[in-house]
Amino acid sequence: MTLKQVVNNVAEMPASKKAVVDIKKLSLTFQTADGPVYALSDVDLTIEEGDFVSFIGPSGCGKTTLLRVIADLEQATGGEISINGVTPHEAREKRAYGYVFQAPALLPWRSIERNVTLPLEIMEISKEERVKRAQEALKLVELNGFEKKFPWQLSGGMQQRASIARALSFDADLLLMDEPFGALDEIVRDHLNEQLLKLWARTNKTVAFVTHSIPEAVYLSSKIVVMSPRPGRIIDVIETDFPKDRTLDIRETPEFLEIAHRVREGLRAGHSNDE
Amino acid sequence: MTWTKLDKFCLVAAIAALLALIFPLAGVDGDTGKQVAFVGDIPGLAVAMALCVIAGSAFTWLGVGSVTAGMVILAIAVFGCWQAISVLYDYGVAGYAGPGFWLFIASLWAFVWRGIDVIANFHSLDRTKQHLANFVVPVAFGVWLLFVWEVVVSGFGVPQVLLPPPSMIGERFVNSTDILAADFHQTFVKAVLSGYVMGCGSAFIVAIAVDRVPFLKRGLLPLGNMVSALPIIGVAPIMVMWFGFDWQSKAAVIVIMTFFPMLVNTVTGLNAAGKLEKDLMATYASGYWSTLFRLRLPAAMPFVFNALKINSTLALIGAIVAEFFGTPIVGMGFRISTEVGRMNIDMVWAEIALAALAGTAFYGAVAYIERKATSWHPSFRVRRH
Ligand SMILES: Nc1ncnc2c1ncn2[C@@H]1O[C@H](COP(=O)(O)OP(=O)(O)OP(=O)(O)O)[C@@H](O)[C@H]1O
Ligand SMILES: [Mg+2]
């Protein structure tokens, strides 16, 4: 396996594919009682169709905030952002997003199946179709057989998988995942990483994925965005060139370790800037 | 076996029963100057007391570990209670009860306490058995309280105007079912139910409207809290002037009483949904009504039911008290106020018993629906796989 490792300033990249997310000079300042909090500053980023982009950076650097800006849950205070050529708000109205939050956010009065069909219900899809799609989505995260259970009857990891199934149940243009596997053990995590990769390879979905784990970021991504602590900035964007049908074994290859090293260096540099 | 391992309740029961055999059963009749009754003349009571001594000492050593042992104790206690009642009424001890009698009651008390305690701590995976145990405990306790009431009132010869014994109230209750039914129909079916439905229903709808207007939401909640703290029952005479003597004025009082608790709780409940869940609905571009029905109303249900339960009690109180201010010649409140004037205290108590039954059943029905409707809520759910 050969690896072409391209490191680029994203803004200068030739626009070969359709840009799903296009962010220019984006900044966001929270006004709080203790003065302004500069969560994001000068963020430039393009996510192309079919990209799997991982965001990695220290806690509190603005990863969640960036995802929320993309999903129109937070308003940028400066710069420009467009999703599929329209504003995030319009994209949201067009139901472009499948968002997996940091916590499962399942509705306790709905069974697992009805939690998964929630977005389909809102989108007014017929009942048979809803049940069919819920079945498929639950199968993907290996929760088939738990349809009639309630969220509190499932373990934390299972709940998180159910929330992933919910985001997969409808065909979102853009899958936004905020540390979806943070609460899971290594083995389950590896397994779900493989599943997610397969799903991505098969459906060619565009994914924005937040993680704290360097191996996870390198293994999953076609593009890794390294962020620095507050004010959140992008300090490095690393493109990887692993084949889409990669397996967990690539984690032992020199190319993999080299990229992981590069990510670590980036994170370390961000930290020293901070001091 | 050490001292601490002895079953103290059973020990108390045994000692009290033993002393009961020794001390005089009843006082002296003022007219004849003779002792009213002796244990020796009453074989049933003597047997009961002896049983208490034997069982008490036995269980002091053995301990009351199992439900079976608890049942045995309760069975002995029931036999004892029966004998105590019979002594009061058949042997003329009523009004003359002495230390021996009260010691015997104390012994029964210790037994009942221990028996109920054992059954209350019963845990079983068999659901019918568990339900049975959960049912027996409050019933047994309630029956015991009635027994104590009966015995104390009769034993000390408390005048009936002050407090009639439950047996007398029960008799009156059974003999006046037609009056009670008419009163129940007037007060509960007509006034309470209609007032409750109108008050809670209108408050619920207003709450949803208020929720959309931020300044109302801010301004109304403190106002609502203030109004619910006022003794609204004071408006009853005015309502009678406005709506006449019949049930409509009572329903109006209930509407006023129940409106604000429901409004305040529903508005609070509509804001109970978490931020994350609201964000989730936003990412699906869920509209106002869709979010209301799929997220905010279900999340508000525990608050709504809380108000429904509070209001079920308020409504009954409101209707009864409002009837004191004018009513056609039927109704629970009317009956209470007139029968008090005629010194028919047993009828007053029969109405109170009816109100207690109706109130409990009403509250229980609301609580049951709550349990079914919000079974997902942490306070109800049972982990079952
Ligand atoms: N609503 C808000 N109001 C004020 N400050 C906020 C708000 N949301 C986030 N912040 C601040 O913005 C910064 C970035 O937060 P964010 O949640 O994006 O971090 P993160 O990178 O996702 O961290 P983690 O990895 O711990 O999840 C933090 O310093 C946080 O305190
Ligand atoms: Mg975060």
Side-chain angles (χ1 to χ4, degrees):
Chain A
M1 193 193 308
T2 59
L3 170 77
K4 278 185 287 165
Q5 183 187 308
V6 191
V7 181
N8 251 323
N9 185 327
V10 186
E12 292 164 12
M13 281 237 325
S16 54
K17 283 182 278 182
K18 188 182 150 216
V20 175
V21 179
D22 196 9
I23 297 176
K24 288 199 185 76
K25 293 256 171 270
L26 183 104
S27 62
L28 193 152
T29 311
F30 287 111
Q31 299 299 340
T32 70
D34 315 325
V37 174
Y38 301 98
L40 296 169
S41 101
D42 262 347
V43 173
D44 284 304
L45 179 71
T46 310
I47 300 177
E48 282 158 358
E49 193 167 20
D51 261 352
F52 194 120
V53 180
S54 284
F55 296 87
I56 191 163
S59 183
C61 72
K63 306 180 293 292
T64 298
T65 308
L66 183 55
L67 241 51
R68 289 175 61 84
V69 171
I70 295 175
D72 187 42
L73 296 176
E74 215 78 71
Q75 302 305 317
T77 47
E80 283 167 32
I81 173 166
S82 71
I83 312 293
N84 285 329
V86 297
T87 65
H89 181 75
E90 285 163 322
R92 183 163 68 84
E93 295 290 320
K94 288 185 193 162
R95 279 133 184 182
Y97 305 116
Y99 202 132
V100 180
F101 291 89
Q102 229 166 327
L106 299 171
L107 305 183
W109 50 87
R110 283 177 169 248
S111 66
I112 293 300
E113 182 177 43
R114 295 202 57 231
N115 262 291
V116 173
T117 57
L118 174 70
L120 305 172
E121 226 175 83
I122 295 170
M123 295 167 198
E124 289 169 0
I125 286 164
S126 77
K127 175 140 202 228
E128 299 136 52
E129 181 70 15
R130 293 205 300 256
V131 173
K132 198 181 115 233
R133 292 218 214 154
Q135 288 295 333
E136 286 166 12
L138 283 171
K139 204 161 185 184
L140 274 177
V141 295
E142 299 188 355
L143 275 182
N144 36 345
F146 291 90
E147 292 87 354
K148 299 286 171 260
K149 296 274 183 213
F150 281 84
W152 46 271
Q153 294 172 310
L154 266 54
S155 75
M158 289 158 97
Q159 290 180 24
Q160 190 61 351
R161 271 146 63 196
S163 83
I164 295 169
R166 181 176 56 190
L168 296 177
S169 69
F170 64 105
D171 235 347
D173 292 341
L174 182 56
L175 207 50
L176 302 165
M177 306 178 89
D178 195 349
E179 289 184 54
F181 307 141
L184 305 181
D185 67 82
E186 282 287 313
I187 308 293
V188 175
R189 195 174 176 142
D190 281 351
H191 180 72
L192 285 176
N193 279 343
E194 274 185 306
Q195 291 292 317
L196 184 58
L197 206 54
K198 273 196 199 132
L199 183 89
W200 174 60
R202 204 178 68 221
T203 60
N204 209 28
K205 270 184 193 290
T206 314
V207 187
F209 186 93
V210 172
T211 178
H212 274 141
S213 155
I214 297 175
E216 187 171 82
V218 182
Y219 173 63
L220 289 173
S221 316
S222 62
K223 192 187 266 180
I224 303 165
V225 175
V226 183
M227 295 179 69
S228 75
R230 279 205 326 226
R233 259 172 294 128
I234 294 181
I235 50 177
D236 201 0
V237 177
I238 305 161
E239 302 222 357
T240 68
D241 206 1
F242 298 113
K244 278 203 163 180
D245 57 352
R246 65 192 92 153
T247 61
L248 284 166
D249 303 332
I250 65 154
R251 290 189 296 191
E252 316 295 330
T253 61
E255 294 87 346
F256 186 97
L257 296 174
E258 201 181 317
I259 296 176
H261 179 71
R262 202 189 153 84
V263 174
R264 185 167 287 115
E265 287 298 300
L267 287 174
R268 208 169 276 160
H271 254 291
S272 53
N273 283 349
D274 198 34
E275 255 93 58
Chain B
M1 171 115 17
T2 61
W3 167 245
T4 51
K5 288 218 181 108
L6 294 178
D7 194 305
K8 299 202 186 54
F9 279 99
C10 292
L11 184 65
V12 168
I15 294 173
L18 192 64
L19 292 175
L21 281 166
I22 299 165
F23 278 87
L25 183 63
V28 177
D29 191 323
D31 295 336
T32 59
K34 282 186 184 159
Q35 179 98 33
V36 175
F38 296 97
V39 183
D41 299 335
I42 311 164
L45 185 68
V47 169
M49 286 183 178
L51 258 179
C52 286
V53 177
I54 297 165
S57 7
F59 282 113
T60 302
W61 288 102
L62 298 173
V64 190
S66 65
V67 173
T68 324
M71 296 302 260
V72 169
I73 286 187
L74 281 185
I76 293 171
V78 167
F79 178 68
C81 292
W82 172 37
Q83 290 309 318
I85 296 278
S86 121
V87 162
L88 275 178
Y89 295 126
D90 300 344
Y91 292 86
V93 173
Y96 298 101
F101 183 79
W102 297 120
L103 279 164
F104 181 53
I105 300 299
S107 166
L108 294 177
W109 192 308
F111 270 141
V112 169
W113 190 282
R114 192 72 185 92
I116 291 181
D117 187 44
V118 169
I119 297 173
N121 285 322
F122 173 74
H123 293 290
S124 170
L125 290 176
D126 184 336
R127 288 183 53 202
T128 39
K129 278 188 193 164
Q130 185 67 58
H131 280 312
L132 190 66
N134 292 351
F135 174 75
V136 163
V137 171
V139 168
F141 190 66
V143 170
W144 169 254
L145 287 184
L146 285 180
F147 170 77
V148 172
W149 175 358
E150 178 84 34
V151 164
V152 168
V153 170
S154 296
F156 285 120
V158 176
Q160 279 161 18
V161 252
L162 288 187
L163 186 65
S167 59
M168 194 173 162
I169 298 170
E171 208 179 308
R172 169 59 70 159
F173 194 101
V174 174
N175 290 336
S176 2
T177 38
D178 46 344
I179 297 180
L180 291 171
D183 290 347
F184 177 79
H185 188 253
Q186 170 74 14
T187 305
F188 194 86
V189 179
K190 283 188 184 165
V192 170
L193 286 187
S194 55
Y196 182 79
V197 169
M198 284 191 284
C200 295
S202 57
F204 186 75
I205 292 166
V206 171
I208 289 173
V210 161
D211 180 71
R212 295 203 82 167
V213 188
F215 84 85
L216 276 184
K217 198 159 82 180
R218 290 229 186 123
L220 216 74
L221 279 192
L223 184 73
N225 281 321
M226 201 189 79
V227 174
S228 4
L230 291 175
I232 300 174
I233 197 65
V235 301
I238 299 171
M239 291 301 119
V240 172
M241 268 162 50
W242 286 4
F243 297 102
F245 282 113
D246 211 348
W247 61 270
Q248 290 88 344
S249 56
K250 283 70 201 174
V253 171
I254 296 171
V255 168
I256 296 176
M257 282 179 85
T258 55
F259 187 83
F260 281 98
M262 185 69 178
L263 181 71
V264 170
N265 271 283
T266 309
V267 170
T268 312
L270 284 172
N271 291 295
K275 184 173 186 307
L276 199 57
E277 284 76 17
K278 287 187 198 153
D279 283 347
L280 179 79
M281 298 304 270
T283 64
Y284 302 139
S286 166
Y288 171 79
W289 293 105
S290 161
T291 307
L292 183 71
F293 284 112
R294 297 203 169 88
L295 173 64
R296 300 180 63 213
L297 279 181
M301 276 309 132
F303 292 83
V304 171
F305 273 107
N306 215 2
L308 285 176
K309 286 193 291 188
I310 296 170
N311 282 347
S312 71
T313 334
L314 281 181
L316 192 58
I317 297 173
I320 290 176
V321 178
E323 283 182 2
F324 294 174
F325 297 96
T327 170
I329 50 162
V330 64
M332 293 157 77
F334 162 79
R335 196 76 54 205
I336 290 175
S337 59
T338 47
E339 298 296 322
V340 157
R342 293 187 197 157
M343 292 300 233
N344 280 338
I345 303 300
D346 52 348
M347 190 61 200
V348 174
W349 278 97
E351 290 285 353
I352 292 174
L354 176 64
L357 281 178
T360 311
F362 193 16
Y363 186 94
V366 177
Y368 179 79
I369 299 171
E370 175 187 33
R371 193 172 263 273
K372 291 286 155 201
T374 61
S375 56
W376 52 271
H377 196 259
S379 54
F380 294 129
R381 61 205 188 188
V382 192
R383 221 172 212 275
R384 247 183 267 121
H385 283 279

